[in-house]
Amino acid sequence: MEDSVDETESVKRYNQYKLDFRRQQLQDFFLQHKDQEWFRSKYHPDDITARKTESLAALKTRLGVFLFLLDNNWLENMSLDMEHAPAIIKLLDAGTHRLLPHCCWHLAKGILGNEVLTLSLQRKRKRSVSADSGEGSASDSDSSHSDGEKEEDEEKEEEEEDREDGTSDRERRKERGKEREEAPAKPRPLHLTTSLFIRSIPPEVSKEEITALCRRYPGFLRVALSDPQPERRFFRRCWVTFDRSVNIKETCWNLQNIRLRDCELAPVVNRDLCRRVRTVNGLTHHKPVVRNDIRLSARLVHSLDQKGELWVGQVRSTDSMETNPVLKNITDYLIEEVSAEEEELTGASGGGDSGDAKDPASSSEVTVETDEKLLKVLDRLLLYLRLVHSVDYYNFCEYPAEDEMPHRCGLIHVRGPLPVAKITAAEVSEHQKMCEERLAPLLSPSETLSEEDAARLGKKEPEQEVEKFLSANTQELSKDKWLCPLSGKKFKAPEFVRKHILNKHGDKVSAVRQEVVFFNNFLLDAKRPALPENKPLPPPAQATPPGMPGFPGQSPQQQSLLGYPPGVRPPMPGGGPPYPPNQFGGGRGNYDNFRGHLGGGGGGGGGGGFPGKQRNSRGVRGDPRSIIEYRDLDAPDDLDFF
């Protein structure tokens, strides 16, 4: 800037420079990623609508699963405690079964162990029995010729056994057919899957491309992609799910050398979840903690139901607090009851707030108090969050895109055993505070920029962008001759070109308006993806203390690997005492000439001058730093290179 600019004006100009740089950075990022699938699914208006419709449909399906389990008493005696881990796993598997298409054919007692959902699955095999013929042949209509030969051999053996036992051939055959009809078909555990994991998927590769590639292999079910990672050039992780019956290792081998858009997939087999039920602090059994968890989980259910548009229009009120069965009469369990009057009359009331860590009462030990009724209410809320909204409350997180993952109801965190050691009121207060802080991102709505901030960062107006588009496509060739580049037609005046574009190229004008909405959606997102910020440079290495030779940044332990104390040279090969460093001004160990220092006197060995003579100006200036020497630490003990 010119010299006449004062400090205030310079700061103002610098702030404007940073704002312009930020605007350009946002525009460049948008242009770089606007054609990629992950970016369009988040901000493009058409993709947002399709994604919202799909997510709401999946959410309502999960709600139907929860209501089915609730109506069939699956949640009646369910407790989110580690002691009930087998029952919790069966509940999660039942929810996964209900998410499958035609799941009613696969809910069987052999898998889930619940009589309410037990369905007799019988495949009646039609067998033709000939009473007149001496040789009866029972076979399925779809059996092959080889299977028929095997059955004939088996029947011959059975006939010989019948003759020995004295049982008639007709009676024996009727008994076998009756047993086969009554025996139910063994259902397959369709909630179990197998999957492949791909570590790095380029951002330009779409989900449809991966699906089309993997669908060629038998047993393919679905593909799940994670959110892009800015620190890894927006690459994504991928899980490809297959049916449990396939040979997953063979499929993995077939995909090893396949390239997708010049990128090797390099899949690996994804292992099953080792511990589906995991524990948290046993302090969660304590009654005040349970009541606080009920309050937070009820808020979370209410917020997520409104976001997902659940329980809307089912009764007169649109408030989910009055329609969701898990929130029915929830306020009865949120109000705390105390004996304040009795404590006041008996003189047992204490002063101070027990939640304050500085208060002596906060350090007093308290007894863990449990309330089974409150725990039952809390567990109903937590199971609703887990099965419907994929929120693991005790882990303070949401499992995104769980319906596309290999395990649709995989992990859940439950209460651990009661604490053995004594707890204090301060620990209880600290735990409650931690829960609120970690649940805050789930409770807070999606953040958007204010209109003022959006305007500062370059929010676009649709009509202004349309005018720019019309002006850019109205070119003057000569006097009274104007060109429309979109069609190549010529007109006598610019207003005719404008009218032509609006009438004949309305799709392109609509695309401009849609592009503006696309960019504004990206701009208004307060948590929009961005390039990772440059990390600050590491702090400079600590300078070597005076008299400590060695490489820069080298520790004293490394400097004394030869067995000699720091600052002492090893003895000469022919014997003699070890020489201290820099005893002579010259020598091969001095590198001042290479470093541009002022040297004195020419002379041997590296331009070092006479013994004891000052070789540079550092001693004159009073610089306390000593000259750094470099030695080969790998040299043998009996050889001195310096």
Side-chain angles (χ1 to χ4, degrees):
M1 294 181 291
E2 55 273 15
D3 296 338
S4 60
V5 177
D6 58 0
E7 183 178 356
T8 304
E9 180 65 20
S10 62
V11 171
K12 182 179 178 180
R13 292 189 185 183
Y14 180 63
N15 290 334
Q16 183 63 35
Y17 159 76
K18 291 194 296 183
L19 182 61
D20 295 341
F21 176 79
R22 181 61 174 157
R23 286 179 179 177
Q24 188 63 39
Q25 194 178 35
L26 290 173
Q27 182 68 29
D28 294 343
F29 188 90
F30 175 79
L31 295 176
Q32 182 181 0
H33 298 281
K34 70 174 186 176
D35 295 329
Q36 297 175 359
E37 178 199 40
W38 68 270
F39 194 83
R40 292 178 59 89
S41 65
K42 289 174 68 70
Y43 302 113
H44 196 276
D46 293 343
D47 291 15
I48 287 177
T49 303
R51 184 179 182 184
K52 184 178 181 181
T53 303
E54 183 180 352
S55 62
L56 290 182
L59 191 61
K60 291 181 179 179
T61 301
R62 281 180 165 265
L63 177 60
V65 170
F66 177 82
L67 294 178
F68 177 84
L69 298 175
L70 181 65
D71 295 339
N72 288 278
N73 301 325
W74 274 78
L75 310 180
E76 189 64 29
N77 298 318
M78 187 62 60
S79 177
L80 294 184
D81 199 316
M82 194 59 188
E83 297 178 357
H84 300 82
I88 295 173
I89 292 177
K90 287 183 179 180
L91 175 66
L92 297 178
D93 290 343
T96 306
H97 268 281
R98 292 293 301 180
L99 290 173
L100 296 173
H102 310 293
C103 62
C104 58
W105 295 103
H106 309 294
L107 288 171
K109 186 177 180 181
I111 297 177
L112 303 178
N114 189 291
E115 297 180 358
V116 177
L117 301 179
T118 300
L119 301 176
S120 61
L121 305 178
Q122 297 181 357
R123 294 187 306 176
K124 296 184 178 181
R125 307 173 65 182
K126 296 180 180 180
R127 304 173 60 87
S128 59
V129 179
S130 175
D132 300 331
S133 174
E135 48 181 356
S137 174
S139 62
D140 294 333
S141 59
D142 57 347
S143 61
S144 61
H145 179 66
S146 59
D147 294 337
E149 292 179 353
K150 291 181 181 179
E151 290 184 359
E152 289 179 1
D153 296 339
E154 292 177 357
E155 287 179 357
K156 289 180 181 180
E157 295 178 359
E158 291 175 355
E159 287 177 4
E160 295 178 358
E161 294 178 357
D162 293 342
R163 290 169 186 169
E164 295 177 357
D165 298 339
T167 308
S168 64
D169 182 36
R170 183 180 299 176
E171 293 177 358
R172 184 72 176 177
R173 190 172 288 108
K174 286 182 179 180
E175 291 179 2
R176 290 200 310 269
K178 195 173 181 180
E179 291 176 358
R180 290 175 179 174
E181 290 179 358
E182 293 179 354
K186 185 178 180 181
R188 291 191 298 122
L190 295 184
H191 65 284
L192 298 179
T193 58
T194 185
S195 59
L196 298 177
F197 174 62
I198 304 175
R199 290 185 174 88
S200 297
I201 296 293
E204 61 271 11
V205 175
S206 65
K207 181 179 178 181
E208 286 74 14
E209 291 176 311
I210 303 175
T211 302
L213 174 63
C214 298
R215 187 169 291 174
R216 297 182 295 180
Y217 299 94
F220 170 78
L221 296 178
R222 54 187 176 270
V223 172
L225 287 168
S226 67
D227 291 334
Q229 301 170 297
E231 65 277 4
R232 299 184 64 242
R233 296 180 297 160
F234 295 94
F235 275 60
R236 296 186 287 177
R237 299 185 300 274
C238 177
W239 291 265
V240 186
T241 307
F242 293 87
D243 187 76
R244 190 74 170 188
S245 60
V246 304
N247 187 348
I248 192 62
K249 292 186 177 180
E250 181 180 352
T251 305
C252 182
W253 178 259
N254 294 332
L255 287 170
Q256 283 292 330
N257 298 322
I258 293 181
R259 300 178 67 89
L260 192 60
R261 292 206 181 191
D262 296 332
C263 176
E264 290 188 2
L265 299 180
V268 294
V269 177
N270 185 39
R271 295 176 180 173
D272 290 335
L273 299 175
C274 57
R275 290 187 300 117
R276 297 181 62 184
V277 181
R278 308 188 179 196
T279 60
V280 296
N281 192 347
L283 186 63
T284 49
H285 286 274
H286 193 33
K287 186 176 179 179
V289 176
V290 173
R291 183 176 281 111
N292 184 67
D293 289 338
I294 291 176
R295 178 178 62 85
L296 293 176
S297 59
R299 284 180 54 196
L300 190 56
V301 168
H302 179 60
S303 175
L304 294 177
D305 283 351
Q306 285 189 332
K307 181 180 178 182
E309 300 178 4
L310 299 180
W311 308 100
V312 176
Q314 297 188 8
V315 292
R316 289 176 298 177
S317 174
T318 59
D319 189 359
S320 64
M321 293 287 286
E322 297 182 11
T323 59
N324 193 332
V326 300
L327 296 178
K328 186 178 181 181
N329 301 326
I330 195 65
T331 54
D332 297 343
Y333 307 99
L334 299 177
I335 304 301
E336 186 177 0
E337 299 179 359
V338 296
S339 304
E341 182 182 5
E342 181 179 356
E343 293 177 355
E344 182 68 24
L345 294 175
T346 58
S349 60
D353 185 8
S354 60
D356 189 0
K358 298 180 180 179
D359 190 12
S362 64
S363 60
S364 60
E365 296 180 351
V366 296
T367 305
V368 177
E369 181 183 1
T370 59
D371 190 324
E372 295 299 329
K373 189 175 182 180
L374 289 178
L375 287 174
K376 186 175 181 180
V377 174
L378 175 62
D379 290 344
R380 188 73 54 92
L381 291 166
L382 301 190
L383 287 172
Y384 180 86
L385 289 172
R386 183 65 190 89
L387 294 175
V388 178
H389 295 290
S390 299
V391 173
D392 195 349
Y393 178 85
Y394 282 132
N395 198 28
F396 310 107
C397 69
E398 178 183 10
Y399 301 125
E402 191 178 32
D403 285 335
E404 300 174 354
M405 295 292 287
H407 297 85
R408 289 180 169 175
C409 293
L411 296 178
I412 187 171
H413 287 71
V414 300
R415 294 179 293 273
L418 289 170
V420 179
K422 295 290 184 178
I423 62 174
T424 62
E427 294 177 355
V428 175
S429 178
E430 186 66 25
H431 178 81
Q432 295 176 350
K433 182 179 178 181
M434 180 268 296
C435 291
E436 294 188 13
E437 291 177 352
R438 298 190 64 179
L439 288 173
L442 295 176
L443 290 169
S444 61
S446 56
E447 300 179 9
T448 57
L449 293 182
S450 62
E451 289 296 328
E452 181 181 358
D453 293 339
R456 291 176 62 252
L457 289 176
K459 182 182 177 182
K460 299 180 180 180
E461 296 297 333
E463 296 306 321
Q464 293 181 2
E465 297 301 320
V466 170
E467 289 295 330
K468 293 179 182 178
F469 176 76
L470 295 175
S471 300
N473 289 279
T474 303
Q475 299 179 3
E476 185 179 8
L477 298 179
S478 61
K479 185 178 180 180
D480 296 335
K481 184 179 290 187
W482 298 79
L483 172 68
C484 173
L486 299 177
S487 60
K489 293 184 178 181
K490 300 179 179 64
F491 300 88
K492 291 184 178 181
E495 55 268 19
F496 297 130
V497 180
R498 176 189 179 92
K499 184 177 179 180
H500 166 74
I501 295 175
L502 292 176
N503 292 336
K504 300 298 183 179
H505 300 282
D507 54 340
K508 294 182 174 61
V509 176
S510 300
V512 172
R513 289 193 175 96
Q514 192 178 59
E515 186 87 355
V516 172
V517 177
F518 189 11
F519 176 79
N520 289 341
N521 289 339
F522 163 69
L523 183 69
L524 292 173
D525 185 9
K527 298 181 179 179
R528 74 180 78 86
L531 294 174
E533 297 182 0
N534 294 330
K535 297 181 180 179
L537 295 176
Q542 192 172 8
T544 307
M548 182 72 70
F551 296 100
Q554 188 178 12
S555 63
Q557 290 80 4
Q558 293 173 327
Q559 297 169 8
S560 59
L561 291 177
L562 296 179
Y564 299 97
V568 178
R569 290 185 178 182
M572 297 298 290
Y579 296 98
N582 300 333
Q583 181 180 6
F584 303 101
R588 299 176 59 190
N590 194 310
Y591 287 85
D592 287 344
N593 291 337
F594 295 98
R595 302 160 82 181
H597 292 162
L598 297 176
F610 298 99
K613 185 176 180 180
Q614 185 67 36
R615 301 188 59 200
N616 53 42
S617 61
R618 291 197 299 180
V620 177
R621 296 174 184 174
D623 194 335
R625 294 175 296 175
S626 62
I627 298 175
I628 299 176
E629 294 197 25
Y630 298 91
R631 295 194 297 156
D632 187 359
L633 300 180
D634 295 329
D637 295 346
D638 58 348
L639 182 62
D640 182 19
F641 286 93
F642 304 102

